[in-house]
């Protein structure tokens, strides 16, 4: 997973620089002294977006120089721990549609035939709660999960009075990704801007 931070450059008087072009060098090593892949992007406004690949949780040393000189506090000691998984491999979804008349006016009462069906991998039927809200709107709630750690495709069919609505059938794709990591401890607080 990638860890992100921003380097902000300042004048000798502490004022923000408003232009790019400085030489920003960042090196990152893990606890085994293996170098990490680092990307530095000049934003053109005196800030530089930096990211590095933290392959595993643990201690890292981050060195940051601007035009050959270390920024205050560099070399930073950073602890990276396993964090929340930002990619979805399980999710509960609810959506609501509102029926309209032939003239495009929103209906204010329910009673239409609202049906939702979902097929997952291997044509597995997924349980769906389809609801008539009584005010011209209709909802569907369902849970999807990737199976056996692989990508999973789902086909969602929504019909009102026997006809597909909007983009129905539409697809949901869920797939696991490698664990994400987050910086939980930086021994020089606030120094990375």
């Amino acid at each position: 997973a990638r860890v992100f931070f921003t380097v902000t450059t300042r004048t000798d008087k502490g004022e923000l620089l408003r232009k790019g072009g400085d030489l920003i060098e960042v090196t990152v090593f893990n606890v085994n002294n293996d170098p990490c892949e680092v990307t530095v992007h000049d934003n053109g406004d005196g800030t530089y977006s930096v990211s590095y690949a933290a392959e595993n949780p643990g201690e890292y040393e981050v060195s940051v120089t601007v035009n050959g000189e270390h920024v205050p506090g560099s070399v930073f000691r950073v602890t990276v721990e396993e964090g929340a998984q930002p990619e979805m491999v399980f999710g509960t979804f609810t959506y609501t549609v509102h029926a309209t008349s032939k003239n495009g006016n929103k209906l204010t009462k329910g009673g239409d035939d609202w049906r939702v069906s979902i097929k997952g991998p291997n044509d597995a039927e997924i349980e769906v709660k389809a609801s008539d809200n009584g005010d011209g709107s209709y909802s569907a709630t369902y849970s999807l999960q990737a199976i056996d750690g692989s990508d999973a495709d789902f086909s969602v069919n929504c019909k009102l009075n026997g006809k597909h609505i909007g983009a129905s059938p539409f697809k949901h794709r869920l797939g696991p990704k490698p664990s994400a990591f987050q910086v939980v401890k930086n021994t020089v607080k606030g120094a990375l801007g």
Side-chain angles (χ1 to χ4, degrees):
R2 297 208 65 85
V3 177
F4 300 88
F5 65 91
T6 302
V7 174
T8 302
T9 56
R10 299 179 182 273
T11 67
D12 293 339
K13 295 178 182 179
E15 298 168 346
L16 294 175
L17 286 177
R18 300 287 180 200
K19 63 177 182 61
D22 289 303
L23 176 61
I24 307 297
E25 294 182 301
V26 178
T27 57
V28 181
F29 292 91
N30 66 18
V31 69
N32 297 324
N33 210 29
D34 297 322
C36 298
E37 180 256 320
V38 177
T39 302
V40 178
H41 175 75
D42 183 344
N43 298 319
D45 62 359
T47 66
Y48 300 80
S49 299
V50 180
S51 69
Y52 63 92
E55 296 298 325
N56 295 298
E59 300 295 319
Y60 289 78
E61 288 190 351
V62 180
S63 170
V64 181
T65 63
V66 177
N67 298 324
E69 296 195 24
H70 281 276
V71 300
S74 179
V75 171
F76 303 97
R77 291 184 183 28
V78 178
T79 300
V80 176
E81 289 185 355
E82 190 167 11
Q85 185 75 13
E87 292 82 8
M88 188 180 310
V89 294
F90 175 83
T92 299
F93 303 89
T94 300
Y95 66 89
T96 301
V97 298
H98 206 113
T100 59
S101 69
K102 290 181 183 179
N103 297 329
N105 299 318
K106 282 187 177 180
L107 298 179
T108 57
K109 64 179 184 167
D112 292 299
D113 182 22
W114 170 241
R115 296 181 190 256
V116 180
S117 64
I118 302 175
K119 291 211 178 211
N122 302 318
D123 287 329
E125 292 285 334
I126 306 299
E127 183 178 337
V128 180
K129 179 183 176 197
S131 304
D132 178 344
N133 299 321
D135 62 358
S137 68
Y138 300 86
S139 298
T141 301
Y142 52 94
S143 296
L144 303 178
Q145 181 173 357
I147 299 171
D148 297 328
S150 60
D151 287 348
D153 290 317
F154 299 86
S155 178
V156 181
N157 293 277
C158 306
K159 292 183 178 183
L160 190 62
N161 295 327
K163 294 185 180 180
H164 283 283
I165 64 163
S168 175
F170 60 90
K171 301 277 185 213
H172 271 276
R173 171 171 269 198
L174 299 180
K177 301 287 182 194
S179 292
F181 301 103
Q182 62 183 347
V183 175
V184 295
K185 181 181 175 189
N186 178 345
T187 57
V188 182
K189 294 182 180 176
L192 290 178

